[in-house]
Amino acid sequence: MVTLVPLAGCAGQAPSALDPAGAGAQRVEGLWWLLFWISVVVFVEVMALLAWALIFRRGGRTRVRHSQPLRFVTIAGAGLPLVILVAVYGVSLRDLAALGTDPGRDAPTVEVTGHQWWWEVRYEGVAGATANEIHIPVGERVRVRLRTADVLHSFWVPQLMPKTDLIAGETRETWLHADRAGQYRGQCAEYCGLQHAHMALMVIAVPRPEFDARLARLAAPARAPSTDAERRGQQAFVQGTCAACHTVRGTGAQGRVGPDLSDVGSRWSIGAGAVPNDAGHLGGWIANPQTVKPGNQMPPQPVDAARLPDLIAYLRSLG
C-alpha cells in the first residue's frame, strides 16, 4: 500500500486503466483489483507466518508435531495457490472472451495506421483522412482496424481498452467504447524508435450527431481561405514543398508521405503530442521540426520569413 502513495502524485491528467470510461477498460480494472487484493492477502499471510516462526520457534523450541508440516505445506503451499490460480485463470478467460467479442456488423469502422511517429486515421466509407485523433460516438462500440506502415507499434487507450499490437503485414482488430463524452489520451505502448514517447493520440467521444457531422467534414473539401493572409498562405502551401508530402482536400496539395492537413487547425497537438497546437509552436515546427521532434521524417522547410505568418494563418484556419 505504501508504494501506491508516490504513484498517486503522478495521476494528474495522465490516462489510467484504473479510471475506466468504457466497458473494455472496466474489465481490465476489475481484473487488476482482483489480482491486487489477492496479492495483499498473500503478503499478509506470509508476514503472519514469518512472525509466527520468529516468535514461537525462537530458541529451538517447537510447537509443531511431526505429522503437521507435510499437511500444512500440502494445503497452504499447493492446495490454496492452485485454487487461486484456477479462479484467476477462469476470470481472465471470461474477460478475454468479452474483450474479443465482435462489435457488430453495423458498428462504425475506423482504420488506424501507425507510422514513425504518428497515427493515420481513416473512416470506412469516407475518402478523407486525419491524424492523431479518433472521433467516436458516445455509447456505441466502434471497430478499429490496426496496421503498421513500418515497425512494430502498439495501440493503447488506457481508459477505454487494453493494448493491441500492430504487426507488419497483418491487420489486427479491436474496439472502442466510451460511456461518457470526453477526451481520452492514447499512446503507442511498444518502443518504436527515437520518438516513441511522442506518438500519442486522442480519442474524442461525442454525441452521435456530432460524430456524423465530423464524418461529413472529412468527406468534404477543406475550408477555403477567407482572408488575404489565408489566401497567400494557401498559395505558399500549394506552390511550396509542403504539397509534396501533405494533402489538403480540394487543393493541388495531394502528398501522401505525411499526415493529411485538411483539419490541422483544430487538432489537439502538433507532432502527435510533441507540442501544443498554437501559432508559435506551429511556426517553429514549420521552420525546423527537427528541433521539436528530432528524427521525424519532415526536414526543415525553406519558407521565406515574410510568408511564414501567412502560412501559419492558413493552416490555423483549417479545421
Side-chain angles (χ1 to χ4, degrees), residues 23-312:
Q26 287 168 2
R27 292 278 182 179
V28 176
E29 182 201 29
L31 186 58
W32 190 96
W33 282 113
L34 173 64
L35 293 173
F36 173 78
W37 287 116
I38 289 175
S39 301
V40 169
V41 171
V42 171
F43 177 79
V44 171
E45 179 187 9
V46 170
M47 292 300 102
L49 290 173
L50 178 60
W52 177 85
L54 292 174
I55 294 172
F56 293 103
R57 305 197 64 176
R58 186 172 50 195
R61 291 178 296 137
T62 179
R63 297 186 181 183
V64 180
R65 294 193 300 271
H66 292 296
S67 61
Q68 290 179 328
L70 181 59
R71 184 187 312 163
F72 177 78
V73 170
T74 302
I75 296 174
L80 288 178
L82 179 62
V83 172
I84 292 172
L85 289 174
V86 170
V88 171
Y89 183 64
V91 173
S92 301
L93 289 180
R94 181 203 65 185
D95 289 340
L96 283 172
L99 293 170
T101 55
D102 191 281
R105 190 169 50 184
D106 298 329
T109 300
V110 184
E111 298 178 352
V112 179
T113 303
H115 299 262
Q116 288 183 307
W117 291 273
W118 59 282
W119 302 93
E120 180 182 358
V121 179
R122 295 181 178 273
Y123 294 83
E124 190 174 61
V126 179
T130 186
N132 307 319
E133 286 187 4
I134 303 175
H135 285 69
I136 63 173
V138 175
E140 298 184 36
R141 289 194 179 191
V142 176
R143 186 192 314 275
V144 183
R145 292 197 179 112
L146 299 164
R147 303 180 182 88
T148 175
D150 35 59
V151 300
L152 177 70
H153 299 286
S154 188
F155 180 86
W156 187 31
V157 186
Q159 291 178 275
L160 300 181
M161 277 297 278
K163 305 170 187 176
T164 303
D165 289 340
L166 283 65
I167 310 296
E170 295 184 16
T171 298
R172 313 296 296 275
E173 283 197 3
T174 185
W175 50 269
L176 296 173
H177 173 273
D179 293 330
R180 58 183 185 269
Q183 297 186 354
Y184 306 100
R185 178 167 171 147
Q187 179 69 40
C188 177
E190 185 76 29
Y191 181 73
C192 55
L194 178 64
Q195 290 297 331
H196 162 68
H198 290 147
M199 190 174 171
L201 70 147
M202 191 68 72
V203 176
I204 303 171
V206 297
R208 183 68 194 214
E210 291 186 32
F211 174 73
D212 292 337
R214 170 72 176 174
L215 295 190
R217 288 196 300 273
L218 282 177
R223 178 183 176 275
S226 59
T227 67
D228 290 340
E230 291 173 5
R231 281 187 281 272
R232 290 192 300 268
Q234 184 188 59
Q235 186 179 33
F237 185 94
V238 173
Q239 296 179 356
T241 57
C242 303
C245 295
H246 297 284
T247 293
V248 174
R249 295 187 301 277
T251 73
Q254 297 296 319
R256 300 289 183 180
V257 178
D260 187 315
L261 299 181
S262 301
D263 62 348
V264 66
S266 65
R267 292 178 190 166
W268 71 284
S269 73
I270 298 170
V275 290
N277 189 1
D278 55 41
H281 286 100
L282 180 57
W285 178 270
I286 295 170
N288 190 356
Q290 297 303 317
T291 63
V292 179
K293 192 173 180 177
N296 81 87
Q297 296 186 16
M298 181 174 169
Q301 297 303 300
V303 179
D304 186 270
R307 305 186 73 181
L308 183 58
D310 296 335
L311 182 55
I312 294 173

